[in-house]
Amino acid sequence: MNPDPASLDNLQDIIEMAPVSWWPFATGWWFVIVISLIGLLIQTYQSWRRWQANAYRREALRLLQETSSIAEISSLLKRTALSAGRRSDIASLTGPDWIAWLTHTSKGLSFPTDVQKLLTTGVYEKTQHPNELSAVKRFAKDWILVHRLADKDPVSC
């Protein structure tokens, strides 16, 4: 060994520190994990409530598949509306008032005049043209999916 302290023979390897361990987590990471879990639980609960709140819609869509007349579709629309809203506001609606209420709650859904006529007067006809029935069914399906009642909907669906 060379006695000169600046000699390259006296060099030693650099001693590296041990890498920082991921475990145990620092306090900040625990905070992030807890907040994320709370957010996930809140989101799961809200999704579950929304699913529960829309049970009447799923049932109405299932029953709509089984309808075979405009009178049945009209009755189904009324029952669906009663499931979603206040009975005192909806039960007595007939004719133009019922059509106006459906239009108001449809939130931008196009409500063809022929379907409006069929829901008011077509209910009393014995036979319906298949095209008329399919048009009313199409509107009923769309209305069931998109209607909103501002005074009752506790959960945004």
Side-chain angles (χ1 to χ4, degrees):
M1 206 170 205
N2 194 345
D4 182 17
S7 171
L8 292 176
D9 291 335
N10 292 334
L11 287 179
Q12 297 177 353
D13 286 336
I14 297 175
I15 300 173
E16 295 181 8
M17 295 181 60
V20 177
S21 173
W22 280 96
W23 190 263
F25 292 136
T27 307
W29 284 112
W30 284 113
F31 181 72
V32 168
I33 290 169
V34 168
I35 295 297
S36 298
L37 286 176
I38 290 171
L40 182 64
L41 287 173
I42 289 170
Q43 185 178 12
T44 302
Y45 176 71
Q46 288 175 340
S47 296
W48 178 78
R49 279 193 54 203
R50 190 176 306 111
W51 187 79
Q52 289 290 326
N54 284 321
Y56 77 96
R57 292 178 198 260
R58 291 188 302 275
E59 180 66 15
L61 289 172
R62 187 186 66 75
L63 292 173
L64 182 63
Q65 298 297 322
E66 300 169 4
T67 58
S68 60
S69 70
I70 294 175
E72 289 176 0
I73 295 171
S74 180
S75 174
L76 178 65
L77 284 173
K78 182 72 85 149
R79 289 186 319 205
T80 304
L82 288 171
S83 295
R86 290 187 298 207
R87 178 173 287 281
S88 61
D89 294 342
I90 301 166
S92 63
L93 297 175
T94 58
D97 293 335
W98 172 239
I99 298 300
W101 188 87
L102 285 173
T103 303
H104 175 70
T105 57
S106 66
K107 301 297 181 197
L109 179 65
S110 66
F111 198 169
T113 54
D114 59 334
V115 173
Q116 292 178 19
K117 181 179 175 260
L118 288 169
L119 283 175
T120 54
T121 59
V123 174
Y124 304 109
E125 296 177 8
K126 293 276 186 200
T127 60
Q128 286 105 18
H129 192 273
N131 290 342
E132 294 174 342
L133 185 63
S134 67
V136 175
K137 266 190 178 184
R138 197 173 324 111
F139 170 77
K141 178 183 178 187
D142 292 343
W143 183 83
I144 290 168
L145 290 172
V146 303
H147 75 275
R148 295 286 184 271
L149 306 177
D151 59 342
K152 179 136 187 211
D153 278 349
V155 179
S156 161
C157 301

